[in-house]
Structures are given as C-alpha cells and as structure tokens.
Amino acid sequence: DTEVTQTPKHLVMGMTNKKSLKCEQHMGHRAMYWYKQKAKKPPELMFVYSYEKLSINESVPSRFSPECPNSSLLNLHLHALQPEDSALYLCASSPRLGGEPYEQYFGPGTRLTVT
Amino acid sequence: AQSVAQPEDQVNVAEGNPLTVKCTYSVSGNPYLFWYVQYPNRGLQFLLKYITGDNLVKGSYGFEAEFNKSQTSFHLKKPSALVSDSALYFCAVRDINTGGFKTIFGAGTRLFVKA
C-alpha cells in the first residue's frame, strides 16, 4: 500500500468553527508533513513530525494545531481560521527524516474554504 | 541558501513532440534534486530524483532528467509528449541546512500538451 489518504476531500467552515483534517498512511513511514498550497503555487511547509514528535513548525499561527497520535495518523486541528487560510492542505510522508534523501508521498489534499 | 528556479511559468508542446521543463539549482554541497507532478485537484506525485551517479535519471511515466553540474541544471525531459502529461511540474531540492528535514520547491511550471 503506497497511498496516503486524507479526509475530508472538501471542507467549508466559518471563522468560529472548529474542525479537523485527517491523514493516514500504512507504509511504515516515520516522517509526516503538513503543507498548505495556494492555487498555482508550490506547497508551503507547515509542520514536520518525526517518530510522532514535532520536529519543525514553520512559524504557523496557533489557530492551526497539529497532532500525531500514532505512526500512521496525522491530524490538523483548525480553530478560528481566517478567509486567507482557504487553500489546499496536503499531507505527505517519507520513510524517515534526514539521511537518505527520500522522496515524499503526498495525499490528494483537503480543499478548505473559510467563509 | 538552497534554492531551485524554474524559469518558465508555462511550456506548450504538441503531442508527440519532445518536451523539456527547465530547472536550475543553487546549493552548497551535494545536490539532492527531485521532480514532482501535480494533476488538477490532486496531491503531488514523485517522478524521479538525483542523488549521485549517472547524470541521466529515469523516472515514472517515461520521464527522465539530466543532471548537469557545470550548468547547475536538472531539466526534466520526455521524448514524446502525451496530452495526459498536461499538469503542473515542480522541481525541488532537499535542504541540507535543516539536516535534510525540509524540501524546497520551485515555483512550478505548467505544461500544456496540445493534441
């Protein structure tokens, strides 16, 4: 199984809502990533987890809260978002961080619209 | 600082013709270079990577890339384009300044293949 799955595919939320994005992989990868992507732009790194511990936080606002409950799951909790947070949110995984330059496996993304 | 540049926002090619999508890099130390493709409303898919060794790297879907150290380039090529190759292509480099934890993406090049 070389697939990264993300749910939901689409999400519309108001600025006062709380919602969560979910990502799952069963490839035994120990590095997982959240990216934000605006239309026709490259992905922007948000968070990196290595062995279920947060390794990188790219100065992301606290209204985004990541969680890695186990080696297969990655969540992104959303609260009090702004309209400019509307974007495609991509999850990715790779075997490990550092060492061998592994490629990343991306999920299909969650299209988020904040109203 | 590590970076990659994709000088063309868009490349147009007729089906059956060869295609080239350009990428140049600026890195300190050994470059670890990647190409990813993104189809509409999808996540990124890994095409190929260069770590060391043969300068011609073969990847998925008939794509290949040529690493040129003197020109600091890593252009993506395909001998005969298909309409289904139309997508957004990203060149990327692993950022060794963060222990390889981060991948730096180019701005992307949109490829249009006309039937």
Side-chain angles (χ1 to χ4, degrees), chain A residues 40-109:
Chain A
K40 301 181 182 180
K41 297 292 186 182
E44 301 171 29
L45 184 65
M46 300 175 71
F47 304 103
V48 181
Y49 274 82
S50 176
Y51 289 87
E52 296 92 69
K53 295 197 182 307
L54 185 63
S55 293
I56 295 178
N57 176 343
E58 290 287 274
S59 303
V60 179
S62 60
R63 57 186 183 268
F64 295 91
S65 175
E67 178 195 22
C68 191
N70 60 54
S71 60
S72 300
L73 283 175
L74 186 66
N75 297 321
L76 186 63
H77 303 298
L78 314 173
H79 173 55
L81 294 192
Q82 304 296 311
E84 60 264 28
D85 296 322
S86 299
L88 182 67
Y89 287 84
L90 295 166
C91 174
S93 71
S94 64
R96 282 185 300 279
L97 285 186
E100 169 79 18
Y102 298 105
E103 60 271 22
Q104 294 178 34
Y105 293 75
F106 284 81

Side-chain angles (χ1 to χ4, degrees), chain A residues 33 35 37 40-43 45 56 58 88 90 97-104 106-108 111, chain B residues 32 34 36 38 41-44 46 49 51 88 90 94 98-103 105-107 110:
Chain A
Y33 312 75
Y35 288 89
Q37 187 181 26
K40 301 181 182 180
K41 297 292 186 182
L45 184 65
I56 295 178
E58 290 287 274
L88 182 67
L90 295 166
L97 285 186
E100 169 79 18
Y102 298 105
E103 60 271 22
Q104 294 178 34
F106 284 81
R111 175 74 60 189
Chain B
Y32 299 131
F34 302 79
Y36 290 87
Q38 186 174 31
N41 299 312
R42 303 288 298 174
L44 280 67
F46 168 74
K49 66 182 177 183
I51 302 174
L88 185 57
F90 291 103
R94 199 178 77 155
T98 59
F101 287 14
K102 292 171 62 174
T103 296
F105 291 91
R110 187 161 297 278

Side-chain angles (χ1 to χ4, degrees), chain B residues 14-46:
Chain B
E15 188 174 33
N17 283 1
L19 70 86
T20 299
V21 182
K22 296 180 180 178
C23 173
T24 58
Y25 65 88
S26 175
V27 303
S28 52
N30 295 323
Y32 299 131
L33 298 161
F34 302 79
W35 276 102
Y36 290 87
V37 60
Q38 186 174 31
Y39 298 99
N41 299 312
R42 303 288 298 174
L44 280 67
Q45 294 179 33
F46 168 74

Side-chain angles (χ1 to χ4, degrees), chain B residues 9-14 82-83 85-87 110-114:
Chain B
D9 289 335
Q10 184 171 308
V11 170
N12 297 310
V13 65
L82 299 172
V83 172
D85 292 329
S86 299
R110 187 161 297 278
L111 173 67
F112 286 102
V113 182
K114 187 174 181 181

